[in-house]
Amino acid sequence: RYQKEQRKWHLTATYDYQYGQYYHDRDARVSDHEIDVNWTRRLGKGQELSITSLAAETHDRETGDAIVDFNSIREGDEIAYNRYLVNLNYRRGTLRDRTRYDIFYFKELSELDHMARADSDYELTRDGVGAEYTWQVRRQLALVAEAEYSNYDYQLSFRDHDHFRLMAGTDLIFARRLRADLRVGLEEKAFDMARTDGSQNEFVWQASVDWALRRSTNLQFNAGRQIFEFIDLRSEEHTSELQSPCNL
């Protein structure tokens, strides 16, 4: 890890290398590389601009995103997963200000090659914009509103869709030892190809609690509900694009 800090900017760059060996039908040795760079520039009083970039060549996918991992094959030595991500974020306001907001743009490219099953290969290009607005009502209470739009462009064209997300909630602090966050809202997917109505929406929520039991002991709790993915193909001819069964 390399870190450099100046009066108006700071830079953090991290390189991670992992080596693994699998033992089953054949001995397989794999090497994973990941480079993460974060550059932040202070523009003025209470303003900053940050650029984050990621380049990863790995054999494990741990995105936690059911949309991306729609057809996960987890034989780690038989897949090659490349991921490239750039995120641009502008922030105005600090914890001492009554209001603050963030505006961000991101672009991601993911490529998966399966050595044994060509039908499991895919490419995904994802880009989007979003914003978060915070109103600090009191020192221990803040109201938050979030909005995000993403466009998913898959190699399998019938999976292409737009993703909308609107959330609102609150951040709470109790006696400096207990922090709680709650968000409720709506997520919607609009598929480019659909037999009838290609749009669906779901009520979603997420909550977290962080309790500082002692100076060196914390208890964390997270829960939530995400949108469920469903695809209705426009016609039977599109099923030929998917050579193996897949739970949707």
Side-chain angles (χ1 to χ4, degrees):
R1 172 173 294 180
Y2 172 79
Q3 291 180 311
K4 179 70 173 180
E5 185 166 354
Q6 296 290 337
R7 186 173 61 89
K8 288 191 175 183
W9 61 270
H10 65 267
L11 171 71
T12 302
T14 305
Y15 172 72
D16 183 33
Y17 170 78
Q18 296 187 33
Y19 172 82
Q21 186 169 358
Y22 295 83
Y23 301 93
H24 44 80
D25 295 340
R26 57 184 178 86
D27 290 347
R29 298 172 175 85
V30 297
S31 296
D32 296 346
H33 309 269
E34 181 176 308
I35 300 176
D36 189 356
V37 180
N38 189 340
W39 179 80
T40 301
R41 164 84 178 187
R42 288 186 288 273
L43 302 177
K45 184 178 180 180
Q47 301 181 61
E48 68 177 27
L49 177 69
S50 62
I51 301 176
T52 303
S53 61
L54 170 70
E57 296 180 0
T58 180
H59 295 78
D60 293 312
R61 291 191 297 163
E62 299 178 354
T63 63
D65 189 341
I67 302 174
V68 177
D69 290 344
F70 67 91
N71 195 20
S72 299
I73 304 296
R74 298 197 178 275
E75 299 91 345
D77 63 318
E78 296 184 352
I79 67 173
Y81 178 55
N82 300 328
R83 182 171 181 244
Y84 308 96
L85 173 67
V86 175
N87 185 83
L88 178 65
N89 187 90
Y90 170 77
R91 173 175 295 177
R92 184 181 181 91
T94 65
L95 294 176
R96 297 182 178 181
D97 295 327
R98 175 69 68 176
T99 62
R100 56 186 180 271
Y101 59 85
D102 290 71
I103 302 174
F104 62 88
Y105 165 81
F106 64 88
K107 187 175 184 64
E108 177 185 6
L109 173 63
S110 300
E111 299 175 346
L112 175 67
D113 296 325
H114 195 284
M115 301 176 185
R117 298 179 56 183
D119 57 295
S120 296
D121 298 348
Y122 82 89
E123 294 181 3
L124 166 64
T125 300
R126 184 171 71 104
D127 60 295
V129 295
E132 177 181 310
Y133 177 80
T134 303
W135 179 30
Q136 197 71 36
V137 182
R138 300 174 58 186
R139 175 178 295 183
Q140 296 85 10
L141 173 63
L143 301 180
V144 183
E146 303 173 359
E148 181 177 332
Y149 162 77
S150 302
N151 176 262
Y152 288 77
D153 185 5
Y154 283 94
Q155 181 181 6
L156 304 175
S157 58
F158 63 82
R159 301 191 64 87
D160 296 348
H161 65 274
D162 295 323
H163 188 189
F164 303 91
R165 182 171 178 264
L166 295 174
M167 304 282 283
T170 181
D171 296 341
L172 297 171
I173 301 177
F174 301 96
R176 297 185 179 181
R177 286 181 172 267
L178 187 64
R179 296 175 179 268
D181 301 334
L182 175 64
R183 302 286 188 274
V184 296
L186 184 71
E187 288 193 34
E188 180 180 359
K189 291 186 181 183
F191 288 91
D192 296 346
M193 294 183 176
R195 184 178 301 163
T196 54
D197 184 9
S199 177
Q200 65 180 84
N201 56 73
E202 293 281 348
F203 170 77
V204 295
W205 62 273
Q206 62 186 45
S208 66
V209 176
D210 191 327
W211 185 14
L213 300 176
R214 296 181 179 178
R215 179 175 297 180
S216 59
T217 305
N218 278 59
L219 177 65
Q220 294 183 345
F221 171 80
N222 296 279
R225 183 180 189 272
Q226 296 178 331
I227 190 171
F228 179 76
E229 183 171 5
F230 174 78
I231 296 178
D232 190 11
L233 302 182
R234 181 188 298 171
S235 62
E236 298 300 328
E237 61 179 337
H238 296 300
T239 59
S240 62
E241 297 188 47
L242 188 62
Q243 301 298 327
S244 61
C246 174
N247 293 327
L248 303 179

